[in-house]
Structure formats: structure tokens, C-alpha cells
PDB file of all heavy atoms in Angstrom:
ATOM      1  N   SER N  70      -3.877  10.766  -0.678  1.00  0.00           N
ATOM      2  CA  SER N  70      -5.209  10.858  -0.078  1.00  0.00           C
ATOM      3  C   SER N  70      -5.700   9.449   0.189  1.00  0.00           C
ATOM      4  O   SER N  70      -5.339   8.514  -0.535  1.00  0.00           O
ATOM      5  CB  SER N  70      -6.157  11.568  -1.060  1.00  0.00           C
ATOM      6  OG  SER N  70      -7.502  11.417  -0.654  1.00  0.00           O
ATOM      7  N   ASP N  71      -6.544   9.299   1.195  1.00  0.00           N
ATOM      8  CA  ASP N  71      -7.085   7.965   1.457  1.00  0.00           C
ATOM      9  C   ASP N  71      -7.997   7.493   0.329  1.00  0.00           C
ATOM     10  O   ASP N  71      -8.289   6.306   0.227  1.00  0.00           O
ATOM     11  CB  ASP N  71      -7.781   7.892   2.813  1.00  0.00           C
ATOM     12  CG  ASP N  71      -8.993   8.784   2.926  1.00  0.00           C
ATOM     13  OD1 ASP N  71      -9.213   9.653   2.055  1.00  0.00           O
ATOM     14  OD2 ASP N  71      -9.735   8.633   3.920  1.00  0.00           O
ATOM     15  N   SER N  72      -8.404   8.382  -0.561  1.00  0.00           N
ATOM     16  CA  SER N  72      -9.193   7.954  -1.721  1.00  0.00           C
ATOM     17  C   SER N  72      -8.351   7.122  -2.694  1.00  0.00           C
ATOM     18  O   SER N  72      -8.900   6.438  -3.556  1.00  0.00           O
ATOM     19  CB  SER N  72      -9.793   9.164  -2.445  1.00  0.00           C
ATOM     20  OG  SER N  72      -8.777   9.975  -2.998  1.00  0.00           O
ATOM     21  N   ASP N  73      -7.017   7.156  -2.539  1.00  0.00           N
ATOM     22  CA  ASP N  73      -6.120   6.351  -3.370  1.00  0.00           C
ATOM     23  C   ASP N  73      -5.978   4.916  -2.857  1.00  0.00           C
ATOM     24  O   ASP N  73      -5.350   4.083  -3.508  1.00  0.00           O
ATOM     25  CB  ASP N  73      -4.730   7.000  -3.439  1.00  0.00           C
ATOM     26  CG  ASP N  73      -4.765   8.405  -3.999  1.00  0.00           C
ATOM     27  OD1 ASP N  73      -5.599   8.673  -4.878  1.00  0.00           O
ATOM     28  OD2 ASP N  73      -3.947   9.239  -3.556  1.00  0.00           O
ATOM     29  N   LEU N  74      -6.563   4.622  -1.709  1.00  0.00           N
ATOM     30  CA  LEU N  74      -6.400   3.306  -1.088  1.00  0.00           C
ATOM     31  C   LEU N  74      -6.804   2.143  -1.989  1.00  0.00           C
ATOM     32  O   LEU N  74      -6.072   1.150  -2.056  1.00  0.00           O
ATOM     33  CB  LEU N  74      -7.153   3.248   0.246  1.00  0.00           C
ATOM     34  CG  LEU N  74      -6.974   1.978   1.068  1.00  0.00           C
ATOM     35  CD1 LEU N  74      -5.504   1.741   1.399  1.00  0.00           C
ATOM     36  CD2 LEU N  74      -7.803   2.050   2.339  1.00  0.00           C
ATOM     37  N   PRO N  75      -7.935   2.205  -2.715  1.00  0.00           N
ATOM     38  CA  PRO N  75      -8.264   1.062  -3.575  1.00  0.00           C
ATOM     39  C   PRO N  75      -7.178   0.746  -4.609  1.00  0.00           C
ATOM     40  O   PRO N  75      -6.993  -0.409  -4.970  1.00  0.00           O
ATOM     41  CB  PRO N  75      -9.562   1.498  -4.268  1.00  0.00           C
ATOM     42  CG  PRO N  75     -10.172   2.488  -3.326  1.00  0.00           C
ATOM     43  CD  PRO N  75      -9.009   3.218  -2.714  1.00  0.00           C
ATOM     44  N   VAL N  76      -6.445   1.748  -5.043  1.00  0.00           N
ATOM     45  CA  VAL N  76      -5.345   1.516  -5.984  1.00  0.00           C
ATOM     46  C   VAL N  76      -4.153   0.918  -5.251  1.00  0.00           C
ATOM     47  O   VAL N  76      -3.607  -0.108  -5.663  1.00  0.00           O
ATOM     48  CB  VAL N  76      -4.948   2.824  -6.708  1.00  0.00           C
ATOM     49  CG1 VAL N  76      -3.672   2.623  -7.527  1.00  0.00           C
ATOM     50  CG2 VAL N  76      -6.083   3.306  -7.600  1.00  0.00           C
ATOM     51  N   VAL N  77      -3.725   1.532  -4.149  1.00  0.00           N
ATOM     52  CA  VAL N  77      -2.512   1.068  -3.484  1.00  0.00           C
ATOM     53  C   VAL N  77      -2.683  -0.279  -2.793  1.00  0.00           C
ATOM     54  O   VAL N  77      -1.679  -0.948  -2.516  1.00  0.00           O
ATOM     55  CB  VAL N  77      -1.928   2.119  -2.508  1.00  0.00           C
ATOM     56  CG1 VAL N  77      -1.589   3.398  -3.219  1.00  0.00           C
ATOM     57  CG2 VAL N  77      -2.812   2.357  -1.338  1.00  0.00           C
ATOM     58  N   GLU N  78      -3.894  -0.707  -2.558  1.00  0.00           N
ATOM     59  CA  GLU N  78      -4.096  -2.044  -1.978  1.00  0.00           C
ATOM     60  C   GLU N  78      -3.493  -3.127  -2.865  1.00  0.00           C
ATOM     61  O   GLU N  78      -3.028  -4.151  -2.361  1.00  0.00           O
ATOM     62  CB  GLU N  78      -5.578  -2.305  -1.728  1.00  0.00           C
ATOM     63  CG  GLU N  78      -6.085  -1.591  -0.481  1.00  0.00           C
ATOM     64  CD  GLU N  78      -7.569  -1.796  -0.223  1.00  0.00           C
ATOM     65  OE1 GLU N  78      -8.347  -1.950  -1.189  1.00  0.00           O
ATOM     66  OE2 GLU N  78      -7.948  -1.790   0.961  1.00  0.00           O
ATOM     67  N   LYS N  79      -3.463  -2.900  -4.164  1.00  0.00           N
ATOM     68  CA  LYS N  79      -2.839  -3.876  -5.076  1.00  0.00           C
ATOM     69  C   LYS N  79      -1.338  -3.960  -4.829  1.00  0.00           C
ATOM     70  O   LYS N  79      -0.743  -5.035  -4.936  1.00  0.00           O
ATOM     71  CB  LYS N  79      -3.153  -3.513  -6.515  1.00  0.00           C
ATOM     72  CG  LYS N  79      -4.633  -3.607  -6.849  1.00  0.00           C
ATOM     73  CD  LYS N  79      -4.924  -3.137  -8.267  1.00  0.00           C
ATOM     74  CE  LYS N  79      -6.404  -3.141  -8.522  1.00  0.00           C
ATOM     75  NZ  LYS N  79      -6.997  -1.811  -8.479  1.00  0.00           N
ATOM     76  N   ALA N  80      -0.723  -2.845  -4.502  1.00  0.00           N
ATOM     77  CA  ALA N  80       0.705  -2.861  -4.166  1.00  0.00           C
ATOM     78  C   ALA N  80       0.928  -3.625  -2.865  1.00  0.00           C
ATOM     79  O   ALA N  80       1.847  -4.449  -2.757  1.00  0.00           O
ATOM     80  CB  ALA N  80       1.246  -1.441  -4.045  1.00  0.00           C
ATOM     81  N   MET N  81       0.081  -3.356  -1.890  1.00  0.00           N
ATOM     82  CA  MET N  81       0.231  -4.024  -0.598  1.00  0.00           C
ATOM     83  C   MET N  81       0.048  -5.532  -0.742  1.00  0.00           C
ATOM     84  O   MET N  81       0.784  -6.312  -0.131  1.00  0.00           O
ATOM     85  CB  MET N  81      -0.748  -3.437   0.417  1.00  0.00           C
ATOM     86  CG  MET N  81      -0.443  -1.977   0.722  1.00  0.00           C
ATOM     87  SD  MET N  81      -1.485  -1.195   1.978  1.00  0.00           S
ATOM     88  CE  MET N  81      -3.102  -1.303   1.269  1.00  0.00           C
ATOM     89  N   LYS N  82      -0.916  -5.955  -1.569  1.00  0.00           N
ATOM     90  CA  LYS N  82      -1.118  -7.391  -1.787  1.00  0.00           C
ATOM     91  C   LYS N  82       0.118  -8.028  -2.419  1.00  0.00           C
ATOM     92  O   LYS N  82       0.555  -9.107  -2.021  1.00  0.00           O
ATOM     93  CB  LYS N  82      -2.343  -7.652  -2.658  1.00  0.00           C
ATOM     94  CG  LYS N  82      -2.581  -9.154  -2.862  1.00  0.00           C
ATOM     95  CD  LYS N  82      -3.652  -9.455  -3.855  1.00  0.00           C
ATOM     96  CE  LYS N  82      -3.906 -10.933  -4.047  1.00  0.00           C
ATOM     97  NZ  LYS N  82      -2.720 -11.798  -4.126  1.00  0.00           N
ATOM     98  N   THR N  83       0.693  -7.337  -3.394  1.00  0.00           N
ATOM     99  CA  THR N  83       1.886  -7.865  -4.058  1.00  0.00           C
ATOM    100  C   THR N  83       3.052  -7.952  -3.074  1.00  0.00           C
ATOM    101  O   THR N  83       3.761  -8.969  -3.043  1.00  0.00           O
ATOM    102  CB  THR N  83       2.250  -6.989  -5.266  1.00  0.00           C
ATOM    103  OG1 THR N  83       1.131  -6.946  -6.159  1.00  0.00           O
ATOM    104  CG2 THR N  83       3.465  -7.533  -6.003  1.00  0.00           C
ATOM    105  N   LEU N  84       3.237  -6.936  -2.265  1.00  0.00           N
ATOM    106  CA  LEU N  84       4.292  -6.983  -1.253  1.00  0.00           C
ATOM    107  C   LEU N  84       4.046  -8.120  -0.270  1.00  0.00           C
ATOM    108  O   LEU N  84       4.984  -8.843   0.113  1.00  0.00           O
ATOM    109  CB  LEU N  84       4.390  -5.640  -0.528  1.00  0.00           C
ATOM    110  CG  LEU N  84       4.877  -4.470  -1.394  1.00  0.00           C
ATOM    111  CD1 LEU N  84       4.595  -3.141  -0.711  1.00  0.00           C
ATOM    112  CD2 LEU N  84       6.351  -4.617  -1.734  1.00  0.00           C
ATOM    113  N   ASP N  85       2.794  -8.307   0.141  1.00  0.00           N
ATOM    114  CA  ASP N  85       2.445  -9.433   1.021  1.00  0.00           C
ATOM    115  C   ASP N  85       2.785 -10.768   0.359  1.00  0.00           C
ATOM    116  O   ASP N  85       3.339 -11.666   0.999  1.00  0.00           O
ATOM    117  CB  ASP N  85       0.951  -9.422   1.366  1.00  0.00           C
ATOM    118  CG  ASP N  85       0.576  -8.388   2.412  1.00  0.00           C
ATOM    119  OD1 ASP N  85       1.435  -7.986   3.218  1.00  0.00           O
ATOM    120  OD2 ASP N  85      -0.612  -7.983   2.419  1.00  0.00           O
ATOM    121  N   ASP N  86       2.444 -10.901  -0.921  1.00  0.00           N
ATOM    122  CA  ASP N  86       2.694 -12.154  -1.642  1.00  0.00           C
ATOM    123  C   ASP N  86       4.174 -12.529  -1.640  1.00  0.00           C
ATOM    124  O   ASP N  86       4.523 -13.707  -1.651  1.00  0.00           O
ATOM    125  CB  ASP N  86       2.209 -12.053  -3.095  1.00  0.00           C
ATOM    126  CG  ASP N  86       0.690 -12.030  -3.221  1.00  0.00           C
ATOM    127  OD1 ASP N  86      -0.023 -12.332  -2.230  1.00  0.00           O
ATOM    128  OD2 ASP N  86       0.206 -11.691  -4.326  1.00  0.00           O
ATOM    129  N   TYR N  87       5.050 -11.532  -1.645  1.00  0.00           N
ATOM    130  CA  TYR N  87       6.493 -11.776  -1.649  1.00  0.00           C
ATOM    131  C   TYR N  87       7.114 -11.712  -0.256  1.00  0.00           C
ATOM    132  O   TYR N  87       8.323 -11.878  -0.110  1.00  0.00           O
ATOM    133  CB  TYR N  87       7.188 -10.785  -2.586  1.00  0.00           C
ATOM    134  CG  TYR N  87       7.056 -11.172  -4.037  1.00  0.00           C
ATOM    135  CD1 TYR N  87       5.950 -10.786  -4.780  1.00  0.00           C
ATOM    136  CD2 TYR N  87       8.027 -11.938  -4.664  1.00  0.00           C
ATOM    137  CE1 TYR N  87       5.813 -11.149  -6.105  1.00  0.00           C
ATOM    138  CE2 TYR N  87       7.901 -12.305  -5.989  1.00  0.00           C
ATOM    139  CZ  TYR N  87       6.790 -11.909  -6.705  1.00  0.00           C
ATOM    140  OH  TYR N  87       6.663 -12.279  -8.016  1.00  0.00           O
ATOM    141  N   GLY N  88       6.300 -11.435   0.748  1.00  0.00           N
ATOM    142  CA  GLY N  88       6.817 -11.375   2.108  1.00  0.00           C
ATOM    143  C   GLY N  88       7.698 -10.166   2.387  1.00  0.00           C
ATOM    144  O   GLY N  88       8.575 -10.225   3.248  1.00  0.00           O
ATOM    145  N   VAL N  89       7.454  -9.083   1.670  1.00  0.00           N
ATOM    146  CA  VAL N  89       8.246  -7.867   1.853  1.00  0.00           C
ATOM    147  C   VAL N  89       7.538  -6.963   2.860  1.00  0.00           C
ATOM    148  O   VAL N  89       6.368  -6.622   2.673  1.00  0.00           O
ATOM    149  CB  VAL N  89       8.453  -7.143   0.505  1.00  0.00           C
ATOM    150  CG1 VAL N  89       9.148  -5.799   0.706  1.00  0.00           C
ATOM    151  CG2 VAL N  89       9.252  -8.024  -0.448  1.00  0.00           C
ATOM    152  N   PRO N  90       8.230  -6.551   3.912  1.00  0.00           N
ATOM    153  CA  PRO N  90       7.599  -5.675   4.901  1.00  0.00           C
ATOM    154  C   PRO N  90       7.382  -4.269   4.336  1.00  0.00           C
ATOM    155  O   PRO N  90       8.165  -3.801   3.504  1.00  0.00           O
ATOM    156  CB  PRO N  90       8.606  -5.648   6.054  1.00  0.00           C
ATOM    157  CG  PRO N  90       9.915  -5.986   5.430  1.00  0.00           C
ATOM    158  CD  PRO N  90       9.613  -6.871   4.259  1.00  0.00           C
ATOM    159  N   TYR N  91       6.321  -3.637   4.802  1.00  0.00           N
ATOM    160  CA  TYR N  91       6.020  -2.293   4.317  1.00  0.00           C
ATOM    161  C   TYR N  91       5.259  -1.515   5.382  1.00  0.00           C
ATOM    162  O   TYR N  91       4.715  -2.084   6.317  1.00  0.00           O
ATOM    163  CB  TYR N  91       5.213  -2.333   3.017  1.00  0.00           C
ATOM    164  CG  TYR N  91       3.892  -3.049   3.121  1.00  0.00           C
ATOM    165  CD1 TYR N  91       2.720  -2.376   3.474  1.00  0.00           C
ATOM    166  CD2 TYR N  91       3.800  -4.421   2.865  1.00  0.00           C
ATOM    167  CE1 TYR N  91       1.510  -3.041   3.561  1.00  0.00           C
ATOM    168  CE2 TYR N  91       2.593  -5.090   2.953  1.00  0.00           C
ATOM    169  CZ  TYR N  91       1.452  -4.395   3.300  1.00  0.00           C
ATOM    170  OH  TYR N  91       0.247  -5.058   3.393  1.00  0.00           O
ATOM    171  N   GLU N  92       5.262  -0.212   5.188  1.00  0.00           N
ATOM    172  CA  GLU N  92       4.435   0.693   5.978  1.00  0.00           C
ATOM    173  C   GLU N  92       3.587   1.490   5.005  1.00  0.00           C
ATOM    174  O   GLU N  92       4.033   1.805   3.902  1.00  0.00           O
ATOM    175  CB  GLU N  92       5.290   1.676   6.790  1.00  0.00           C
ATOM    176  CG  GLU N  92       5.994   1.070   7.959  1.00  0.00           C
ATOM    177  CD  GLU N  92       6.761   2.110   8.773  1.00  0.00           C
ATOM    178  OE1 GLU N  92       6.509   3.331   8.601  1.00  0.00           O
ATOM    179  OE2 GLU N  92       7.615   1.695   9.567  1.00  0.00           O
ATOM    180  N   VAL N  93       2.383   1.837   5.424  1.00  0.00           N
ATOM    181  CA  VAL N  93       1.464   2.612   4.602  1.00  0.00           C
ATOM    182  C   VAL N  93       1.191   3.937   5.300  1.00  0.00           C
ATOM    183  O   VAL N  93       0.955   3.963   6.512  1.00  0.00           O
ATOM    184  CB  VAL N  93       0.135   1.852   4.376  1.00  0.00           C
ATOM    185  CG1 VAL N  93      -0.789   2.634   3.455  1.00  0.00           C
ATOM    186  CG2 VAL N  93       0.409   0.466   3.818  1.00  0.00           C
ATOM    187  N   HIS N  94       1.231   5.016   4.519  1.00  0.00           N
ATOM    188  CA  HIS N  94       1.007   6.352   5.076  1.00  0.00           C
ATOM    189  C   HIS N  94       0.203   7.209   4.109  1.00  0.00           C
ATOM    190  O   HIS N  94       0.198   6.953   2.899  1.00  0.00           O
ATOM    191  CB  HIS N  94       2.343   7.056   5.355  1.00  0.00           C
ATOM    192  CG  HIS N  94       3.160   6.367   6.390  1.00  0.00           C
ATOM    193  ND1 HIS N  94       2.937   6.535   7.735  1.00  0.00           N
ATOM    194  CD2 HIS N  94       4.191   5.487   6.276  1.00  0.00           C
ATOM    195  CE1 HIS N  94       3.799   5.789   8.405  1.00  0.00           C
ATOM    196  NE2 HIS N  94       4.579   5.150   7.552  1.00  0.00           N
ATOM    197  N   VAL N  95      -0.444   8.224   4.631  1.00  0.00           N
ATOM    198  CA  VAL N  95      -1.097   9.264   3.835  1.00  0.00           C
ATOM    199  C   VAL N  95      -0.368  10.567   4.123  1.00  0.00           C
ATOM    200  O   VAL N  95      -0.388  11.048   5.258  1.00  0.00           O
ATOM    201  CB  VAL N  95      -2.600   9.408   4.179  1.00  0.00           C
ATOM    202  CG1 VAL N  95      -3.227  10.543   3.365  1.00  0.00           C
ATOM    203  CG2 VAL N  95      -3.343   8.100   3.949  1.00  0.00           C
ATOM    204  N   PHE N  96       0.319  11.078   3.109  1.00  0.00           N
ATOM    205  CA  PHE N  96       0.970  12.382   3.172  1.00  0.00           C
ATOM    206  C   PHE N  96       0.639  13.119   1.884  1.00  0.00           C
ATOM    207  O   PHE N  96       0.688  12.518   0.804  1.00  0.00           O
ATOM    208  CB  PHE N  96       2.501  12.273   3.292  1.00  0.00           C
ATOM    209  CG  PHE N  96       2.990  11.636   4.559  1.00  0.00           C
ATOM    210  CD1 PHE N  96       3.812  10.531   4.523  1.00  0.00           C
ATOM    211  CD2 PHE N  96       2.640  12.156   5.793  1.00  0.00           C
ATOM    212  CE1 PHE N  96       4.284   9.935   5.676  1.00  0.00           C
ATOM    213  CE2 PHE N  96       3.105  11.573   6.968  1.00  0.00           C
ATOM    214  CZ  PHE N  96       3.931  10.462   6.913  1.00  0.00           C
ATOM    215  N   SER N  97       0.352  14.359   1.986  1.00  0.00           N
ATOM    216  CA  SER N  97       0.051  15.172   0.813  1.00  0.00           C
ATOM    217  C   SER N  97       1.204  16.129   0.541  1.00  0.00           C
ATOM    218  O   SER N  97       1.685  16.800   1.464  1.00  0.00           O
ATOM    219  CB  SER N  97      -1.232  15.974   1.049  1.00  0.00           C
ATOM    220  OG  SER N  97      -1.401  16.946   0.043  1.00  0.00           O
ATOM    221  N   ALA N  98       1.620  16.194  -0.718  1.00  0.00           N
ATOM    222  CA  ALA N  98       2.666  17.145  -1.097  1.00  0.00           C
ATOM    223  C   ALA N  98       2.214  18.575  -0.859  1.00  0.00           C
ATOM    224  O   ALA N  98       3.039  19.459  -0.613  1.00  0.00           O
ATOM    225  CB  ALA N  98       3.035  16.956  -2.561  1.00  0.00           C
TER     226      ALA N  98
END
């Protein structure tokens, strides 16, 4: 859910810090 974004932003920042490419998606099981 997009309500999880404040949590996953920490993952995205860490990936950015290491220069690792990523994609972000919202999918519900």
C-alpha cells in the first residue's frame, strides 16, 4: 500500500547511497 511509503523510503535512500538501481511499485497480494 502507498501507506508503507514512509517505511520503504529508508530502503530507497540506502540503495541510492550505494548507487544500486531500483524500481518502486505498489502491488497488493
